[in-house]
Amino acid sequence: PKPPRHSDPADPGPGAPGGLFAWLRGRCLGRGAAVDPARDTFGAMTGLYGAIQPADSVSLSTRTHGAVFNLEYSPDGSVLTVACEQTEVLLFDPISSKHIKTLSEAHEDCVNNIRFLDNRLFATCSDDTTIALWDLRKLNTKVCTLHGHTSWVKNIEYDTKTRLLVTSGFDGNVIIWDTNRCTEDGCPHKRFFHTRFLMRMRLTPDCSKMLISTSSGYLLILHDLDLNKSLEVGSYPILRARRTTSSSDITSSGSSGPRAVGSPCHQNNSGPLSEKSLSRPSQREGGSPRNRLEVLTPEVPGERDRGNCITSLQLHPKGWATLLRCSSNTDDQEWTCVYEFQEGAPVRPVSPRCSLRLTHCIEEANVGRGYIKELCFSPDGRMISSPHGFGIRLLGFDAHCSELVDCLPREASPLREIRSLYSHNDVVLTTKFSPTHCQIASGCLSGRVSLYQPKF
């Protein structure tokens, strides 16, 4: 029997367009008047950013720790960790701006990235090719050191469900570490994936996809991710390579080849993706195998006829989009771009539609050429904090800091500048939102870390 209709003519009922089902779907997607309390809370927090000002500096003048390459808050926001150029990791109380601890010899070379596994355990990676595990309750010694990479390790991700640590380096390898069986001698590990020119690797919040960016302008997406299955080049189904908007093949994308990006000594000496490996057909035509690989050359404004390098890769906290920082091979332009994930059934099994669509972009200051600038989303995904010269810019999808799903344009639109904040005397390389407080941290080339929070 058909469901009974409501007597109110303004309510078409659950089975009609705009009825109950559409209302529920709109609520889940963040559309409509009724939203979850968490979104209301983040909406109020976003409003506070209008009053944000430089608050304090947590730089240490007594130590030469070099440039700040990465910042990371603990999940509860109680600790701010700083990855430094000269082997050190600094820990601060972000509320009082007090120095907690300096890990003076955390590694034997530059510390590149920090990732918290929970509120007490965190991992660091370095140009010394190792990953170290640390416990906030006992910082005098490492929990263990992980050996497996053969070149500089640049990125750490973590799957909280499986407790698998995922790292990537300039050796082109993505390695999986089983922290469930971790000992003082390390963790069991295996090489999961390999590609050349690897720059950054990220997992979506639900760990259903892995994204990999390269210095030759490619973006690789592994769909229906299965971290328990090791992959080799040519052994997995490959979707047709194409640009994010024009569906052209990767071999005619206009990329002019690789380029060294990073600090002056940070170079990737791997080679490009081979044309042979990209032309291998899917093992299961029309099916949905795990770890399907899609290779894209993201559309970047002003870069249609020249190659570009994807130097920074971040993901929307709700998994709706990816955020890229791109620079031209000639180093004369730099862009921040947002690409929406286009989910759903493919148009054709043999040639599915592109998974990403460029929605917003903005040109950057292009100061400090050759250095990687790490940008980030706010915890609610409404704002972007981007290094911009000697400061940072807060960017929104519109002037009201609306949700991405509420302001998706038909064609790529410029990101809106909400606020510019300057408190450094050198090029800003990294920035991070606190996950729990209305606070932003930024670090620069000369080693200064600045905090920003509301002032009334």
Side-chain angles (χ1 to χ4, degrees):
K2 294 182 178 180
R5 299 297 298 269
H6 293 272
S7 57
D8 186 357
D11 186 351
L20 178 60
F21 294 154
W23 177 83
L24 288 173
R25 181 175 182 273
R27 177 174 178 174
C28 293
L29 293 176
R31 302 184 178 97
V35 295
D36 57 278
R39 185 183 177 200
D40 286 336
T41 301
F42 279 128
M45 182 179 288
T46 301
L48 293 174
Y49 287 109
I52 205 163
Q53 297 285 346
D56 207 346
S57 170
V58 292
S59 62
L60 287 178
S61 59
T62 57
R63 290 186 180 274
T64 307
H65 50 270
V68 174
F69 284 163
N70 186 249
L71 299 165
E72 184 73 8
Y73 285 88
S74 61
D76 60 3
S78 63
V79 177
L80 173 64
T81 56
V82 182
C84 300
E85 179 183 13
Q86 301 295 335
T87 76
E88 293 183 351
V89 173
L90 311 178
L91 291 89
F92 294 90
D93 176 359
I95 304 303
S96 65
S97 303
K98 290 183 178 180
H99 176 230
I100 300 174
K101 180 78 173 179
T102 295
L103 307 178
S104 57
E105 296 181 358
H107 287 275
E108 296 178 359
D109 208 332
C110 304
V111 185
N112 297 315
N113 193 239
I114 302 175
R115 169 69 62 172
F116 274 87
L117 283 60
D118 52 36
N119 283 321
R120 61 181 180 85
L121 291 173
F122 65 94
T124 60
C125 65
S126 169
D127 281 0
D128 66 7
T129 75
T130 69
I131 301 98
L133 295 182
W134 304 85
D135 192 327
L136 286 175
R137 300 169 300 181
K138 188 181 179 182
L139 289 171
N140 293 329
T141 183
K142 304 173 185 177
V143 174
C144 65
T145 301
L146 309 181
H147 300 270
H149 285 279
T150 58
S151 186
W152 303 324
V153 188
K154 294 296 184 181
N155 202 190
I156 307 173
E157 291 287 280
Y158 184 64
D159 184 350
T160 56
K161 294 180 181 179
T162 62
R163 291 175 55 85
L164 295 176
L165 197 70
V166 189
T167 62
S168 66
F170 276 5
D171 55 5
N173 290 328
V174 176
I175 296 181
I176 307 295
W177 311 83
D178 188 356
T179 61
N180 298 292
R181 296 185 288 162
C182 191
T183 67
E184 293 182 357
D185 298 325
C187 301
H189 68 279
K190 63 180 180 180
R191 189 175 78 161
F192 174 73
F193 186 81
H194 176 84
T195 187
R196 299 176 182 179
F197 285 130
L198 191 154
M199 283 292 294
R200 291 290 184 266
M201 174 273 305
R202 299 288 179 190
L203 300 179
T204 54
D206 61 359
C207 293
S208 64
K209 296 180 178 65
M210 176 184 289
L211 279 75
I212 298 172
S213 65
T214 73
S215 60
S216 51
Y218 302 145
L219 185 65
L220 285 65
I221 306 177
L222 284 167
H223 296 272
D224 297 322
L225 188 65
D226 182 3
L227 293 175
N228 293 310
K229 179 182 178 182
S230 294
L231 301 175
E232 297 293 340
V233 173
S235 67
Y236 41 82
I238 297 181
L239 309 184
R240 184 169 300 182
R242 55 210 177 276
R243 293 191 72 91
T244 54
T245 55
S246 63
S247 299
S248 63
D249 190 85
I250 195 170
T251 57
S252 60
S253 64
S255 178
S256 59
R259 181 175 62 91
V261 175
S263 63
C265 63
H266 290 192
Q267 295 186 6
N268 188 344
N269 56 6
S270 301
L273 281 163
S274 67
E275 197 171 320
K276 180 180 179 181
S277 68
L278 294 177
S279 61
R280 185 181 178 91
S282 172
Q283 292 179 339
R284 290 175 55 186
E285 296 288 351
S288 296
R290 304 296 295 273
N291 297 327
R292 302 189 312 280
L293 176 65
E294 183 177 18
V295 184
L296 306 174
T297 51
E299 187 79 14
V300 178
E303 295 296 317
R304 296 179 184 272
D305 300 323
R306 293 179 296 171
N308 62 82
C309 174
I310 305 172
T311 59
S312 181
L313 168 66
Q314 300 291 339
L315 287 167
H316 191 281
K318 298 180 182 178
W320 293 342
T322 183
L323 176 65
L324 304 183
R325 184 73 167 252
C326 305
S327 59
S328 63
N329 281 335
T330 54
D331 255 346
D332 59 347
Q333 280 188 310
E334 204 169 18
W335 292 85
T336 289
C337 302
V338 178
Y339 300 85
E340 172 203 12
F341 278 108
Q342 297 190 95
E343 303 291 355
V347 178
R348 290 186 299 164
V350 177
S351 180
R353 70 180 179 187
C354 179
S355 293
L356 295 178
R357 181 176 71 92
L358 178 64
T359 61
H360 298 82
C361 57
I362 193 169
E363 189 168 4
E364 295 288 0
N366 195 32
V367 177
R369 297 181 182 181
Y371 284 90
I372 296 173
K373 288 90 173 184
E374 299 285 3
L375 63 176
C376 65
F377 278 108
S378 61
D380 59 351
R382 291 170 177 246
M383 297 178 65
I384 295 166
S385 181
S386 174
H388 189 258
F390 288 11
I392 61 173
R393 284 196 301 186
L394 301 182
L395 306 171
F397 304 113
D398 64 10
H400 307 290
C401 298
S402 301
E403 294 270 21
L404 175 62
V405 294
D406 292 331
C407 49
L408 287 173
R410 292 186 177 182
E411 297 182 355
S413 298
L415 287 164
R416 298 294 186 92
E417 182 176 337
I418 307 300
R419 194 76 185 275
S420 292
L421 301 166
Y422 298 97
S423 63
H424 292 270
N425 57 4
D426 211 333
V427 179
V428 175
L429 301 181
T430 182
T431 179
K432 185 72 69 172
F433 282 90
S434 168
T436 55
H437 301 88
C438 187
Q439 185 183 79
I440 307 171
S442 62
C444 72
L445 188 58
S446 62
R448 177 188 176 99
V449 176
S450 292
L451 301 177
Y452 311 88
Q453 55 196 37
K455 286 186 178 181
F456 300 100

